[in-house]
Amino acid sequence: MTSALLEDLQWRKSIAQTTDQGELAKYLDGGSRSLYLGFDPTAPSLHIGNLVALTVLRRFQLAGHKPIALVGGATGLVGDPSGRNSERTLNEVEVVNDWVGKIRKQLEGFLDFSGSNPAIMANNLDWTAPVSAIQFLRDVGKHFSVNQMLARESVSARLEAGGISYTEFSYQVLQAFDFLELNRRHDCHLQIGGSDQWGNIVAGVDLIRRVESKSAHALTIPLLAKADGTKFGKTADGSIWLDANMTSPYAFFQFFLNSDDRDVEQLLRTFSFKSHEELESLFESLRINPGAREAHRALAHEVTSLIHGEDQTLKVENAARALFGQSEIRELDEATLESALKELPRTSLTSGQEFPTWVDLLCAAGVVDSKSAARRVVKEGGAYLNNEKISGEDFKPQQSDLLHGRFMVLRKGKRDLAAVEVDS
RNA sequence: GGUGGGUUGCCCGAGCGGCCAAUGGGAGCGGACUGUAAAUCCGCCGGCUCUGCCUUCAGUGGUUCAAAUCCACUACCCACCA
């Protein structure tokens, strides 16, 4: 293996499986190559799990290759059976179209569309929509053996779990067709994806060999495993999204900052674009003085900057510093406080009106789900106003509790914050 | 097609006429310890106008003073036999 890029990916533990690695290395070293990575629109936004493969795609571009980001306008209408033990419910066409647009935007921000090896954006609906069913069955379907299709992990698992519709069964054919089409249009010989995509990718490699008598390559990326065995990127409340309206930059940053110590090294390997030396020194710091959380901060900073921009990240960091810092919250100057609170979930009250009770306020701010929950937390001593524990349910905030005459900082537990602003 | 078993709170899973908002485990939440980490320990864990009230045990209807628990039908799942 000679490709430096592959060596780097190996170091990052970002390679699960590849087709002949020697061949692949030779191919990559031979020039600026096209490669593709696809995402199906199954939600209005990509999430952190998608970021793993996307990061790898970006590494290819930085290494001089030409990335093709494909949004599955067609495949998203069909549904990938991989990794699922039950049939997906089909989404409405208009909904999927809307999601395609949104995901496209996110992808655009992540790759470079200018320069000598610009990225390309593709949508598989462009070449599947014009093809008739008969044409598809004759031109593409003829090259597939059902025996082989049945043997694919994604299908066999489903057969065992009770069955699979013809629709989802056909998914691998569509994805293979995509690879073929991109090979024709953009001379693309490599597809990358999550390790669960191996079967689908290889189906494309086969198709290209059969139809075009050309060789193509596959590279899959391991799914991130967390130390506690749970799925990476999911919290009890759901996924961590890249869309700032779905997961605030503050929450996004906090997610990484709060990573389990045991996961930080791999997360840095996976997501960071820092040099190996810099990363090694962060790992060292993690071992020697984990309490300082230097590696956590570096990780959270870098990933958040990549997604939400450097400016936004600084704001979020400053907010966290102000709100979690040692200094008295009452001593923060108005501008600092205001910008910190901007990053938090917030509610507003109208000035002049009587303040709601403590329980109602916690509820209104969304810190808890119900009044019962609010009472519980208050009773348990986990509710704080401006960093002071308030354990009386009947407590009613007063004018004097306002910081700078208009803010209140609510906190549940150690790190769940919300802001209240009184409009004048 | 036949027969038998099942469907319980976020998940798994007890309960099989009153003592049931329902045992236990997991997840989650709060507290203590720490580092906005992990582990551990303690507490909480349907809702509300909260010493009480309201809505939950697949759905509908029924029996009963009283049902998650009994009966009937419907839907779905599982097992065995054809």
Side-chain angles (χ1 to χ4, degrees):
Chain A
M1 187 175 85
T2 54
S3 173
L5 174 59
L6 290 182
E7 270 166 37
D8 174 55
L9 289 176
Q10 205 120 58
W11 182 81
R12 295 176 187 283
K13 303 192 172 94
S14 285
I15 298 180
Q17 241 183 136
T18 66
T19 42
D20 189 309
Q21 213 172 93
E23 284 299 310
L24 179 57
K26 223 183 289 171
Y27 173 70
L28 290 173
D29 285 338
S32 176
R33 308 299 198 178
S34 290
L35 74 151
Y36 107 85
L37 167 65
F39 291 102
D40 275 356
T42 54
S45 169
L46 295 174
H47 54 77
I48 252 181
N50 299 320
L51 197 55
V52 176
L54 192 49
T55 302
V56 172
L57 186 65
R58 193 164 196 258
R59 291 189 201 286
F60 271 92
Q61 181 166 39
L62 291 174
H65 300 291
K66 294 187 283 257
I68 302 170
L70 178 142
V71 187
T75 37
L77 291 171
V78 166
D80 185 357
S82 305
R84 303 194 121 236
N85 51 19
S86 63
E87 195 80 9
R88 290 173 187 267
T89 36
L90 291 175
N91 293 310
E92 296 297 324
V93 175
E94 305 82 71
V95 172
V96 173
N97 283 340
D98 177 48
W99 291 350
V100 167
K102 288 182 168 146
I103 287 170
R104 218 182 151 107
K105 256 210 170 98
Q106 292 183 330
L107 290 170
E108 278 167 0
F110 208 76
L111 298 165
D112 187 355
F113 289 81
S114 59
S116 58
N117 56 327
I120 294 173
M121 185 66 67
N123 182 346
N124 54 18
L125 196 60
D126 294 345
W127 54 81
T128 42
V131 181
S132 76
I134 295 296
Q135 210 181 334
F136 187 77
L137 288 174
R138 287 179 65 94
D139 295 351
V140 183
K142 199 65 180 169
H143 299 287
F144 283 81
S145 127
V146 170
N147 309 36
Q148 239 176 58
M149 289 172 72
L150 287 172
R152 298 237 185 270
E153 156 69 24
S154 58
V155 174
S156 64
R158 279 286 292 282
L159 287 177
E160 239 157 86
I164 183 168
S165 67
Y166 183 69
T167 307
E168 288 196 13
F169 177 61
S170 314
Y171 186 90
Q172 52 177 298
V173 181
L174 280 177
Q175 187 165 332
F177 182 50
D178 288 344
F179 199 177
L180 175 64
E181 224 19 70
L182 289 171
N183 175 269
R184 288 168 168 162
R185 294 176 179 223
H186 300 293
D187 195 30
C188 173
H189 287 264
L190 169 63
Q191 181 180 172
I192 66 173
S195 55
D196 57 337
Q197 292 296 309
W198 179 254
N200 290 336
I201 297 175
V202 164
V205 170
D206 282 346
L207 184 64
I208 290 172
R209 195 185 38 243
R210 292 213 173 108
V211 177
E212 300 287 321
S213 308
K214 287 185 195 158
S215 69
H217 306 276
L219 181 151
T220 59
I221 300 142
L223 300 179
L224 279 180
K226 283 209 298 178
D228 63 9
T230 58
K231 225 174 172 182
F232 168 74
K234 300 263 182 207
T235 66
D237 306 318
S239 299
I240 304 293
W241 302 99
L242 303 195
D243 184 331
N245 295 315
M246 294 169 73
T247 298
S248 72
Y250 174 82
F252 188 91
F253 182 89
Q254 291 290 320
F255 171 82
F256 282 100
L257 186 66
N258 287 324
S259 298
D260 190 319
D261 286 7
R262 295 168 294 176
D263 294 327
V264 172
E265 179 173 328
Q266 182 56 50
L267 289 173
L268 279 167
R269 281 180 197 268
T270 301
F271 292 117
S272 178
F273 288 88
K274 291 187 200 310
S275 71
H276 292 194
E277 293 71 45
E278 281 177 280
L279 290 176
E280 292 288 4
S281 103
L282 285 173
F283 301 161
E284 185 66 10
S285 150
L286 187 65
R287 271 188 291 274
I288 309 276
N289 185 10
R293 301 199 305 162
E294 193 193 343
H296 295 71
R297 278 176 222 288
L299 170 70
H301 178 91
E302 189 173 0
V303 183
T304 311
S305 300
L306 206 55
I307 302 303
H308 297 296
E310 182 86 26
D311 285 358
Q312 181 61 54
T313 304
L314 289 175
K315 282 185 202 167
V316 153
E317 279 176 310
N318 285 333
R321 204 167 300 129
L323 298 165
F324 284 103
Q326 299 308 310
S327 57
E328 263 304 316
I329 200 159
R330 286 186 174 276
E331 283 161 19
L332 286 177
D333 64 88
E334 185 165 357
T336 305
L337 183 68
E338 179 168 16
S339 60
L341 295 185
K342 255 198 197 107
E343 309 304 330
L344 301 178
R346 55 184 26 236
T347 14
S348 33
L349 299 174
T350 313
S351 86
Q353 290 195 333
E354 203 182 341
F355 288 136
T357 62
W358 187 218
V359 164
D360 286 333
L361 191 62
L362 288 165
C363 206
V367 175
V368 290
D369 296 330
S370 68
K371 290 189 187 181
S372 298
R375 288 200 186 87
R376 227 174 275 136
V377 175
V378 170
K379 193 166 58 193
E380 290 168 340
Y384 305 78
L385 172 61
N386 302 332
N387 276 352
E388 269 176 65
K389 182 185 289 183
I390 306 283
S391 42
E393 282 183 30
D394 307 327
F395 171 78
K396 222 175 218 182
Q398 301 173 350
Q399 201 63 33
S400 59
D401 291 313
L402 293 177
L403 303 171
H404 300 288
R406 57 192 183 114
F407 297 117
M408 286 188 271
V409 180
L410 308 189
R411 176 156 64 90
K412 183 194 73 169
K414 270 190 237 186
R415 44 194 192 187
D416 198 357
L417 294 157
V420 176
E421 180 173 5
V422 178
D423 298 327
S424 43

